[in-house]
Amino acid sequence: MKTRPLYFLTLIVLALGGCAQYATVKEIEPRRAGFAVTKGAPLDGLAAAVSAAETAWRKLDRNPADAEALADYNFAVARIFGAIREQKLKPWDAPIKLGEHSLSWRVVPGSKWNPRVSELIPTDQLEISGTYVDERETKSGLGAPLVAMRVADQAHEYAPTPHFYYGVTGIARFEGSRCVLAVENPLAKETVRVSGRTFPLAADYTAPLAMMLVEMHPKELELPRLLHPAKFAATTRIARLEPFDPDKIVLLFVHGLMDSPATWFPLINHLRADEDVRRNYQFWFFSYSSGYPYPYSAATLRRELDAAEKRYPSKKKMVVIGHSMGGCISRVLITDSKRKVWDQMFTVPPERMDITPAHKHILTESTIFAHRPEIGRVIFISAPHRGSDLASNWFGRIATSLVSMPAELLTLGREEARYEKHAAGDLHLKRFPDSIDTLAPNNDFVRALNTVPIKSGIPHHTIAGDRGKGDAPKSSDGVVPYWSTHLPGALSEKIVPSGHPAHQHPQTVEEVHRILKLHTASR
């Protein structure tokens, strides 16, 4: 009986998202005029690259403004790292003799890169395209941008994918006949000193994101995690996109309904291109099955934050950015509900509810919560705080009929029904709600939450789309109307000429930049 509605929903998903790839990465053979491909013994090409890097460096030493020499140096250094990767050489274990030169490795003080467990890939060997990497954000300077790829322990390292993909920059220094390699972190430093001179440190901020996005397979997470949330429970996690730094502010991104962390990559790509953001912020995200009701997902996020705080204690309060339903989850994180939501929803207090302890725990943690003290600011983007009519009309009712909730929550729904005051608002569900139900304006949780104010003292901002019509406050982004996104207590409100994916609009990128700089200045 669900075949036709599912087919209908799938057609809509395809119409909205198309078949375009979020990101594709293809290895190519880079070329540069004046650099010939050296054939012969395996080390001949490496020796030629080292000689070319030294020749270019001597020119730079005489004239640091020589742009051609800088480009030659960077290209040659990239070929050195490319040869090391291709031939599986290990200069970090022992120097490699190359005719007139020897190749060795120097560990940068404080470096978190271990070459023994990382594969270093020159980014000029990567051809990148896709809808979520529309612009390649790079920084000109000295060095060969690389992607450091290593196997990750996802359970303990908070990795977003089975591999970590970090952007690093390779440097070659010449000390007599020795060519000494090192790897610098362009997210931690902006310049590099070589032979007494200071240069901007070159970087490629897009390449590691694109490689991560390809491995993430986000389209396999989006619709499936809405329809079958329990099957994807193992994909729920907080993940970090770079080495943890306790002195940097965590930016935590929370995606919305039928979405994945991939939706944030265009914004992250542009934010990383800003020096102030790189210096002050680090990027995390919360990935979850969006079929669950968002109060349930918010409770899951609180547990994830508890665990993350123990493993990665930060010195500074984080900034949370939530899009769509992710904004609703974020709103719960900065609210003290006490018993106000519970009392509006149920006829008896928790201690008088005769249901299993496990089910009572689910209900209480979803409705009785306190604000998170580690959160210092929140940015809401296209967030349906008061719901969306799409969730309660015919389309929403078709969509919600396709969501398969786990047996435990179905049983809980039957148990709690005896104590509901309003039978889940005007929806008359008589079952445990799913995510689409909790986005309906007439849902009992939505109504109850909107009687509880956001915790005072936590600055928050709203960004909403009006599809370019300029008709606010009667506007809508096509999914969420202005009356639902608007928060009277917000420190600022920005309307952008966008549909519902307002978090990917250039004006939103500018507004987030502005808010983040305001946040760093206020610390």
Side-chain angles (χ1 to χ4, degrees), residues 50-236:
V50 170
S51 295
E54 182 181 29
T55 299
W57 172 243
R58 299 305 174 199
K59 292 180 181 179
L60 277 175
D61 196 33
R62 292 191 295 271
N63 179 14
D66 188 335
E68 281 297 309
L70 179 65
D72 287 345
Y73 171 86
N74 291 348
F75 186 83
V77 173
R79 304 290 68 77
I80 294 172
F81 280 93
I84 290 171
R85 176 194 177 212
E86 292 164 9
Q87 300 175 37
K88 296 181 170 54
L89 303 175
K90 301 178 180 179
W92 41 84
D93 287 340
I96 299 172
K97 184 65 178 174
L98 297 169
E100 297 178 355
H101 295 95
S102 67
L103 190 66
S104 59
W105 190 272
R106 177 176 295 159
V107 176
V108 176
S111 174
K112 298 179 180 180
W113 317 113
N114 184 348
R116 292 176 178 82
V117 297
S118 298
E119 182 178 353
L120 297 172
I121 308 166
T123 66
D124 66 357
Q125 294 179 195
L126 303 176
E127 184 178 270
I128 296 170
S129 61
T131 57
Y132 280 3
V133 284
D134 59 325
E135 185 174 347
R136 191 154 181 174
E137 296 285 6
T138 61
K139 177 187 165 192
S140 300
L142 186 79
L146 313 166
V147 174
M149 180 183 75
R150 72 169 176 85
V151 175
D153 183 347
Q154 285 186 277
H156 298 96
E157 292 190 291
Y158 288 74
T161 54
H163 292 85
F164 270 122
Y165 295 93
Y166 292 147
V168 298
T169 304
I171 301 293
R173 294 176 172 87
F174 292 90
E175 301 170 359
S177 63
R178 297 173 62 228
C179 175
V180 183
L181 301 177
V183 171
E184 303 282 0
N185 179 5
L187 296 180
K189 60 192 306 184
E190 298 295 326
T191 60
V192 61
R193 261 186 97 70
V194 179
S195 297
R197 298 185 185 276
T198 300
F199 293 86
L201 182 64
D204 186 330
Y205 306 110
T206 303
L209 290 175
M211 294 188 72
M212 186 188 310
L213 194 52
V214 169
E215 186 175 63
M216 189 179 289
H217 301 293
K219 292 188 179 182
E220 296 177 8
L221 299 175
E222 294 169 350
L223 181 60
R225 289 204 300 184
L226 168 65
L227 300 180
H228 304 286
K231 290 184 179 180
F232 296 88
T235 66
T236 297

Side-chain angles (χ1 to χ4, degrees), residues 152-161 164 166 237-242 283-285 303-312:
D153 183 347
Q154 285 186 277
H156 298 96
E157 292 190 291
Y158 288 74
T161 54
F164 270 122
Y166 292 147
R237 62 168 55 89
I238 284 178
R240 57 183 177 87
L241 304 189
E242 58 198 78
F283 297 83
W284 292 20
F285 60 67
R303 292 195 300 271
E304 289 287 309
L305 287 170
D306 288 340
E309 186 68 19
K310 291 178 181 178
R311 187 165 183 83
Y312 298 110

Side-chain angles (χ1 to χ4, degrees), residues 352-383:
R352 290 178 53 197
M353 190 175 280
D354 184 22
I355 62 176
T356 65
H359 290 170
K360 186 181 297 185
H361 177 70
I362 292 173
L363 289 181
T364 54
E365 72 171 356
S366 297
T367 56
I368 302 174
F369 39 81
H371 77 281
R372 301 293 303 194
E374 71 269 39
I375 296 177
R377 191 178 299 266
V378 175
I379 303 174
F380 301 109
I381 306 177
S382 304

Side-chain angles (χ1 to χ4, degrees), residues 204-358:
D204 186 330
Y205 306 110
T206 303
L209 290 175
M211 294 188 72
M212 186 188 310
L213 194 52
V214 169
E215 186 175 63
M216 189 179 289
H217 301 293
K219 292 188 179 182
E220 296 177 8
L221 299 175
E222 294 169 350
L223 181 60
R225 289 204 300 184
L226 168 65
L227 300 180
H228 304 286
K231 290 184 179 180
F232 296 88
T235 66
T236 297
R237 62 168 55 89
I238 284 178
R240 57 183 177 87
L241 304 189
E242 58 198 78
F244 176 70
D245 185 340
D247 293 315
K248 286 188 176 183
I249 301 165
V250 170
L251 269 182
L252 177 66
F253 297 88
V254 187
H255 65 78
L257 183 74
M258 203 172 68
D259 223 328
S260 72
T263 194
W264 292 110
F265 278 49
L267 177 59
I268 292 172
N269 185 39
H270 294 306
L271 289 178
R272 274 188 170 173
D274 183 271
E275 181 179 345
D276 182 72
V277 173
R278 292 194 300 271
R279 183 171 58 251
N280 292 288
Y281 293 92
Q282 56 192 317
F283 297 83
W284 292 20
F285 60 67
F286 176 53
S287 181
Y288 65 100
S289 293
S290 67
Y292 289 123
Y294 80 77
Y296 181 91
S297 296
T300 302
L301 176 52
R302 289 195 294 272
R303 292 195 300 271
E304 289 287 309
L305 287 170
D306 288 340
E309 186 68 19
K310 291 178 181 178
R311 187 165 183 83
Y312 298 110
S314 180
K315 298 178 182 178
K316 299 180 179 180
K317 292 190 175 185
M318 69 172 58
V319 175
V320 179
I321 306 180
H323 172 249
S324 191
M325 190 172 75
C328 297
I329 292 172
S330 304
R331 193 260 202 247
V332 172
L333 298 182
I334 56 173
T335 304
D336 293 325
S337 71
K338 299 181 181 177
R339 283 265 301 274
K340 295 177 182 178
V341 172
W342 179 283
D343 289 343
Q344 291 189 57
M345 292 177 62
F346 300 112
T347 58
V348 298
E351 59 272 16
R352 290 178 53 197
M353 190 175 280
D354 184 22
I355 62 176
T356 65

Side-chain angles (χ1 to χ4, degrees), residues 414-435:
R414 289 191 293 269
E415 289 181 341
E416 70 163 315
R418 306 195 307 269
Y419 303 100
E420 289 179 352
K421 278 187 176 179
H422 308 294
D426 295 335
L427 295 177
H428 302 294
L429 296 176
K430 298 182 180 179
R431 58 171 172 78
F432 195 79
D434 57 39
S435 56

